[in-house]
Amino acid sequence: MAVYTDITDEELSALLADFDLGQALSLKGVAEGVENSNFLLETEAGRFFLTVYERRVRAEDLPFFLELLRWLAEHRFPSATPIPDRRGALLKTVRGKPCAIVSFLSGLSVRRPTAAHCREAGAGLAQLHLAAQGFPLSRANDLGQAAWAPLFGGLAGAADNLKPGLAKTISSDLELLAARWPRNLPQGIVHADYFPDNVFFAGGKFAGAIDFYFACVDALAYDIAVALNAWCFEPDGSFNITSARQLVAGYESRRPLSDIERSALPVLAHGAAMRFFLTRLADWGATPAGALVRPKDPLEYERKLAVHRASPDLVLFGAPA
């Protein structure tokens, strides 16, 4: 989350006039992430989040995201639920930009996940995949494997500026991933950004997930691969195989993996590391001046790419009993 757009008291009052939420009591920008402007909103009716959609989120995709959140709430998956205005509309406008108000989700994210957190997160991810079954809308993954080489086409110079010789290494990775990318895996709605800061816990148990603005239809196992990269690397860059096994075991406690999904995890994890390296590289030099935002270091994911490159069977393992 971040803040690119300031909202005046008058603009906030005009927005809330369409809702049955009472008067605004406070509005506080939240300075994390890089995608949208987010505010913690307190009104006479309670606490909410107000999101103003800024970057990379296309206006035509917003009905998919908001209807998905409504669907998940109706199917008892804990997430932030969009609040309709008096006419039933979920999508609104402030300062000429699309926005939405969603419910406040209780719980805390963890900065240093333990193996126990990873198991709970894995079970929560499977719960999400099961709850989303039957969702009638569809959205392609516009940051999936087919998008990586075109995205890197404009970033080769930035890669070499980051680390001399890196562009050639990334190009080789992209060729390998294109040749090995699996096409026959079970598909469904995936979160596609299932990082520790998007998952909440209460009393050590999974309490919900937020930030569904990369959600799309893709291989369900790809979501596991994203999570393995996000949850199971230590600060020193090493891969924690115990946490990884627990994450997969937690997932399989709700939805067992097929043999083809399990065998695909290594290349999916390599590819998921590529996706986040590329978007972080793109964001690294594109953060607007004055934005209340901290761009994320692409070198973190360059190091993860190196681990997958050196150990191509790193995540080819069975769940513990």
Side-chain angles (χ1 to χ4, degrees):
M1 292 182 277
V3 176
Y4 300 100
T5 298
D6 291 325
I7 299 175
T8 67
D9 291 345
E10 293 76 16
E11 289 166 335
L12 181 59
S13 295
L15 175 66
L16 290 178
D18 292 342
F19 292 84
D20 289 319
L21 299 177
Q23 297 296 311
L25 302 179
S26 67
L27 184 72
K28 180 181 180 182
V30 182
E32 296 179 7
V34 294
E35 298 303 328
N36 302 305
S37 293
N38 289 271
F39 303 87
L40 179 59
L41 169 66
E42 187 170 357
T43 77
E44 293 170 326
R47 302 177 81 188
F48 304 89
F49 272 104
L50 167 62
T51 297
V52 181
Y53 301 104
E54 306 273 4
R55 309 179 55 201
R56 201 177 284 140
V57 178
R58 298 178 305 201
E60 59 267 30
D61 287 333
L62 290 172
F64 172 89
F65 298 135
L66 295 174
E67 291 298 338
L68 175 60
L69 290 174
R70 177 150 60 183
W71 173 278
L72 291 174
E74 291 172 351
H75 289 77
R76 299 184 179 181
F77 180 82
S79 60
T81 306
I83 306 299
D85 70 7
R86 293 191 187 93
R87 297 182 178 181
L90 302 179
L91 188 60
K92 303 292 291 182
T93 301
V94 66
R95 209 170 258 215
K97 298 180 180 181
C99 69
I101 297 175
V102 301
S103 63
F104 182 85
L105 183 65
S106 296
L108 294 173
S109 59
V110 293
R111 291 186 179 274
R112 291 289 303 274
T114 65
H117 287 124
C118 289
R119 188 179 184 99
E120 285 290 316
L125 184 59
Q127 183 185 354
L128 166 60
H129 290 169
L130 294 173
Q133 287 180 347
F135 181 60
L137 303 182
S138 182
R139 175 181 177 269
N141 186 357
D142 55 11
L143 289 171
Q145 183 272 324
W148 300 337
L151 177 58
F152 185 60
L155 297 172
D160 277 341
N161 288 337
L162 199 64
K163 186 176 181 180
L166 182 57
K168 182 178 179 180
T169 302
I170 296 301
S171 294
S172 296
D173 274 355
L174 289 169
E175 291 178 6
L176 178 70
L177 290 167
R180 297 185 179 179
W181 198 250
R183 309 291 178 185
N184 59 343
L185 301 177
Q187 304 277 304
I189 298 292
V190 298
H191 186 283
D193 196 29
Y194 198 75
F195 276 59
D197 57 352
N198 289 332
V199 176
F200 289 175
F201 296 86
K205 299 296 183 181
F206 175 79
I210 61 170
D211 202 354
F212 281 78
Y213 299 111
F214 291 108
C216 56
V217 175
D218 207 328
L220 296 174
Y222 175 72
D223 238 3
I224 302 172
V226 170
L228 287 169
N229 283 320
W231 292 78
C232 302
F233 276 87
E234 296 295 334
D236 65 3
S238 63
F239 185 72
N240 188 324
I241 193 69
T242 300
S243 291
R245 286 179 181 272
Q246 288 298 318
L247 190 148
V248 174
Y251 185 90
E252 291 204 282
S253 71
R254 299 283 184 90
R255 179 187 171 267
L257 293 172
S258 65
D259 290 342
I260 60 170
E261 287 178 302
R262 184 177 296 281
S263 65
L265 283 177
V267 69
L268 292 174
H270 191 170
M274 177 62 72
R275 176 266 191 253
F276 285 96
F277 167 74
L278 290 174
T279 51
R280 287 187 178 194
L281 183 62
D283 289 337
W284 191 246
T287 301
L292 184 58
V293 61
R294 295 188 296 271
K296 295 180 179 179
D297 185 2
L299 284 176
E300 176 189 351
Y301 267 79
E302 186 274 332
R303 291 188 289 270
K304 293 178 183 182
L305 281 170
V307 170
H308 290 302
R309 194 181 303 122
S311 304
D313 293 330
L314 184 65
V315 299
L316 189 62
F317 48 74

